Each structure stands twice: as structure tokens, then as C-alpha cells.
Amino acid sequence: MGDFVCETLEVNPAGHLSVGGCDCLDLAREFGTPLYVMDEMAVRANCRAFRQAVETCYGAGGKVIYASKALCTKAILSIMHQEGIGVDVVSGGELATALAAGVPADTLMYHGNFKTLAEIRQGLAAGVGRFVVDNRLELDQLSGLCEETGRKADVLFRVKPGIDAHTHDYVLTGQIDSKFGVALENGEALDILRDAWDRPGIRVRGIHCHIGSQIFEVEPFVQTVRVMLGLMDEFRQATGKVLEELNLGGGFGIRYVDEHRPLPPARFMEACAAEIRRFCSERDFPMPFVAIEPGRAMVAAAGITLYTVGSVKTIPGIRTYVAVDGGMFENPRYALYGSPYDAVLAAAPLAERVRPVTIAGKCCESGDLIQEHLPMPGVRPGDIMAVMATGAYNYSMAGNYNRNPRPAMVLCREGRARVIVRRETYENLLERDEIPDDLAP
Ligand code: LLP
């Protein structure tokens, strides 16, 4: 193992960076750049770590669901299914991908704050395992469609537990101001549960929440458990009915840079499970079925992006810009969130980092940066650069700004690289454009 933020990366005997036994210089040569590279065994190891943690804590009373928004391709979803992981989808597109990957519909969770009527219909027709209903309009539409079609829907409700995992002391305020789900404070959550219970076609299974992303601490999850179980207990007291399922969402942090110290999944699970057991025995409440929904933690550190370096522009006294052949169109995370990333040169991944550089993309926009002030070895045009931990929310958030074709993705395992997403071509970019007759060239 090399000393990299992505722990499964290695330095091969040639001294080059290698992923799943594949030399990154060979990958760049064979498949071109920019190139998303996924390490299959690293994805599987993440699946197994989460599954094992959930099994240890809950036995058959728990499940891991992969949040496919992090990285949604047929091959990746098929791996998840092989590893015994369910899949969360939030759109007709993610649903179609999961079904095309052979993921059984009954292992799917259908999320989203706005499912169009067509999307609800598709989910119902496919027979998705759970609808996570966000609001009353959606409940009305879903129950209406159930009546119309004679189908039944198993439903969780998205609740805002009021935990802000990104403030220092995880205050229980502010989160009522969120577009997702129903609030606790004003009784909205309790109301929608009562309302849904007796509707024909709707089977109310439980409640769901998601408190944020890239979280390193256990405490906000434990507080969330308390709040969510509190609602389940309140509902039982008010109605005598029992909600059986608690879905705690995702949000488990990963290591993008050296300073990040993510906890192993087991630590989150153990702390939540202990709190759930304590609560249930104190209140004589039946143990709920518990689901979690990691996205980032399943795939981020299993991926890197390879780039070819173009110009290296040193502005004396200011900074050095290293241009790469990608940018915000295939990794918008620095432009959007200022997210930290580490990078190395594929030919000399352990070379001494001698000066800070700013890695810039090729889009026509000053903010099109991959990272700023990152210490790197001397970089020259033509070098292959690897940006680490790009497996989540890169390809899935990519676009075509400046008509840049999206990169290919390869899946590496035991020295074999297989294309799982083909590189977009100019034909792909042009194929949906139409020219009205009066504008034809
Ligand atoms: N479940 C629900 C309902 C979610 O909304 C999300 C993420 C997850 C699970 C998975 O969360 P994760 O384990 O990946 O943190 N684009 C942002 C991240 C947005 C996450 C949105 N929801 C980024 O690039 O950092």
C-alpha cells in the first residue's frame, strides 16, 4: 500500500501509481484522459465493511442501502446488488439505471423532494420497495395512483429531525428551513403520519432522515436517533400504532486529504445501535428495522481521476497555474463547495512536493479550478496527474459546459481495466440538436 489518502492505491515496481493492479500511465495511454478510474475491490471492501457493521449491530434487523446519487452507473449498481446492498434512487433516471442493472425493484428506496407524477407512476409500476414520501402533495398523488391502479405502496416519511450536523454543537435549530421533508417542531410530521395511516393502498412503514454529508462525528447521529425514536414513540402514544422502520440516511465522512480522519463505519453503527437499544428498552418500544444510506463512503475513495497536464503558468509572486484537460464540467466540487482534494503525479506518486500549485480546468471561467495552493512536485506539460478520492459526486454531477464531452470510466481489478462508461463523443453531444429547415447550413 502506498501512503495515499485513497488507501488502496499502490506504487508498482515501475514506480508508477497503480489502481487495482493497473498502471495509471498505461490507463491514460489506453483510454485517454480525463479518465475516471474505479477500484472494484475497494468498492466491494466498502460494501462489506458497512454490511458487516450493520449485521453485527442489528443482525437481520438492518440493511445498507447505497445512495446512488454518489455514482450511478449500471456496473456500479450491479456490484452493489451482488454485495447484498439495496439502492436508493431519487429520480426516474436513477430508477431506470438501477432496473437496467438488474437491481430487484423491491430493494429500491425511492427518495426525492419532488417526484413528478410520471416518476411516481414509474416507481409504482416497477414495484419499488419503499417510497420515501416528502410532503402531502406527494402522499395525495401516491395514494391516488394506488387507488387508481390497485397497487400498494410501502412508505416511509422524510422527517427533518432538526439536527444540523455541520454546526459546531449540532444545534437543534434552523433545519426547519430545508426543502426536504416534514418538520417536527410544528407537528407536521405527526400529522402526515396520522393522515397516511388509513389511506387505502398506503402501508406506513416508518420514518427517514438524512442530516448532512461528509460528517466525521458520531454524536449528531446519536442525537438524530433520539429525536427520530422520540417521534416514533409520540406517534405510538397518540395513536397506539407502531412504526416499524427507521432509516437514518447517509453522510459518513471520507478522507479527501491527509488531515481528514474518518471513523470506520462500525463506530457509527455501534453508537446508533446502542442508543436505539437503550431507548427501546427504556420506553418498552419494539426494536425498529434500521436502514442506513451511505453514498460517498461507498465509492469516493475507490476512485481517482487521471488528467493530462497542459500549460504550467507561473505568475511571479502570485501563483502557478497547472492546467489539466478536465475541470468543472467533470468535477464541479471545488467550484461549488471549495472541496479539498489531493493529487499526485502518476509517474512519481511519492515525489517530494516542492511548491504549491493551483490546478485549473479547461472551461472558460476563472472559478474552474480543481484545487488551489496544493503542494506538488515539479509538474510539466504532458505529465499524467491523478486527483484522488473522486469516486463520489464527480461523474454523477458532471455536465457538458463548453461542450466538453464527459470522460470515460474504467473499473480496475487484478490488473484488468474494463470500460464501464464510454467516453462521450462529439456525435453524442450533437445528436439531440435539431436544426429547423430555415436555419440549416
Ligand atoms: N440519503 C439521502 C436521502 C441523501 O440525500 C443523501 C445525500 C445520501 C443518503 C447520501 O449521503 P452521503 O453518504 O453520500 O453523504 N453533492 C454533494 C453531496 C450531496 C449529498 C446529498 N444527499 C457533494 O458533492 O459533496
Side-chain angles (χ1 to χ4, degrees), residues 67-278:
S68 72
K69 71 205 75 184
L71 175 59
C72 190
T73 81
K74 288 197 280 186
I76 295 294
L77 299 191
S78 157
I79 291 175
M80 296 299 164
H81 176 52
Q82 280 184 1
E83 293 292 337
I85 308 276
V87 173
D88 126 16
V89 299
V90 297
S91 69
E94 288 182 354
L95 173 63
T97 310
L99 295 175
V103 178
D106 63 358
T107 66
L108 298 178
M109 283 274 154
Y110 205 163
H111 284 280
N113 71 306
F114 183 0
K115 303 171 189 75
T116 65
L117 205 50
E119 287 177 319
I120 299 175
R121 217 175 248 128
Q122 287 154 12
L124 209 52
V128 297
R130 295 287 180 272
F131 278 92
V132 183
V133 170
D134 181 272
N135 56 67
R136 199 171 290 267
L137 173 67
E138 185 185 338
L139 174 63
D140 291 343
Q141 291 175 328
L142 181 61
S143 62
L145 284 174
C146 284
E147 278 195 83
E148 192 182 306
T149 59
R151 288 177 182 269
K152 295 217 177 297
D154 291 290
V155 167
L156 306 182
F157 286 92
R158 170 85 186 241
V159 172
K160 307 182 218 192
I163 309 274
D164 183 349
H166 298 290
T167 63
H168 189 59
D169 50 359
Y170 320 123
V171 282
L172 287 156
T173 59
Q175 285 301 286
I176 194 168
D177 182 9
S178 159
K179 72 169 181 169
F180 296 106
V182 287
L184 278 176
E185 297 88 322
N186 55 10
E188 205 183 357
L190 207 54
D191 282 354
I192 202 168
L193 285 165
R194 281 173 188 268
D195 172 2
W197 195 276
D198 295 318
R199 294 207 189 195
I202 300 288
R203 288 188 291 239
V204 180
R205 297 291 189 183
I207 50 177
H208 167 271
C209 62
H210 171 77
I211 56 169
S213 204
Q214 185 63 356
I215 301 168
F216 290 114
E217 295 90 353
V218 164
E219 191 46 32
F221 284 99
V222 174
Q223 277 200 32
T224 301
V225 162
R226 244 174 255 146
V227 170
M228 295 293 278
L229 287 171
L231 173 63
M232 290 167 98
D233 196 26
E234 203 183 337
F235 183 67
R236 180 179 63 167
Q237 283 173 29
T239 65
K241 290 160 185 153
V242 172
L243 300 168
E244 300 152 13
E245 290 180 27
L246 175 58
N247 182 325
L248 295 170
F252 313 101
I254 70 113
R255 190 174 180 207
Y256 282 103
V257 288
D258 220 27
E259 308 83 87
H260 288 162
R261 291 282 176 268
L263 295 171
R267 289 283 298 284
F268 291 99
M269 299 318 117
E270 284 158 9
C272 290
E275 185 60 27
I276 295 172
R277 277 193 292 273
R278 197 188 59 73

Side-chain angles (χ1 to χ4, degrees), residues 342-375:
D342 194 12
V344 297
L345 293 181
L350 299 176
E352 194 190 345
R353 295 169 183 261
V354 293
R355 62 167 176 179
V357 303
T358 289
I359 304 169
K362 67 196 289 296
C363 295
C364 285
E365 190 144 327
S366 302
D368 172 28
L369 305 174
I370 298 289
Q371 200 56 214
E372 288 181 276
H373 314 303
L374 179 68

Side-chain angles (χ1 to χ4, degrees), residues 249-425:
F252 313 101
I254 70 113
R255 190 174 180 207
Y256 282 103
V257 288
D258 220 27
E259 308 83 87
H260 288 162
R261 291 282 176 268
L263 295 171
R267 289 283 298 284
F268 291 99
M269 299 318 117
E270 284 158 9
C272 290
E275 185 60 27
I276 295 172
R277 277 193 292 273
R278 197 188 59 73
F279 188 101
C280 290
S281 82
E282 265 178 34
R283 313 276 178 104
D284 195 23
F285 197 87
M287 260 309 268
F289 184 92
V290 179
I292 55 158
E293 290 171 344
R296 186 192 315 273
M298 299 282 264
V299 290
I304 63 170
T305 306
L306 297 177
Y307 298 104
T308 301
V309 172
S311 75
V312 177
K313 229 176 246 179
T314 297
I315 308 170
I318 311 273
R319 63 164 111 188
T320 297
Y321 283 99
V322 172
V324 295
D325 55 355
M328 65 195 295
F329 69 93
E330 49 75 35
N331 179 1
R333 296 192 68 256
Y334 188 77
L336 273 176
Y337 319 117
S339 306
Y341 277 108
D342 194 12
V344 297
L345 293 181
L350 299 176
E352 194 190 345
R353 295 169 183 261
V354 293
R355 62 167 176 179
V357 303
T358 289
I359 304 169
K362 67 196 289 296
C363 295
C364 285
E365 190 144 327
S366 302
D368 172 28
L369 305 174
I370 298 289
Q371 200 56 214
E372 288 181 276
H373 314 303
L374 179 68
M376 288 288 286
V379 183
R380 285 169 315 190
D383 284 348
I384 301 298
M385 184 186 285
V387 173
M388 314 237 196
T390 57
Y393 302 115
N394 274 225
Y395 171 70
S396 64
M397 293 173 69
N400 292 121
Y401 186 35
N402 292 147
R403 285 287 211 191
N404 282 300
R406 275 171 285 202
M409 187 180 303
V410 294
L411 184 67
C412 296
R413 174 179 176 169
E414 290 157 8
R416 280 180 61 219
R418 289 154 302 155
V419 174
I420 58 170
V421 179
R422 291 194 308 274
R423 185 175 299 283
E424 242 171 5
T425 62

Side-chain angles (χ1 to χ4, degrees), residues 14-36:
H16 303 162
L17 188 70
S18 109
V19 181
C22 298
D23 184 309
C24 287
L25 292 184
D26 292 342
L27 292 175
R29 205 171 301 126
E30 185 175 350
F31 300 103
T33 58
L35 181 68
Y36 298 119

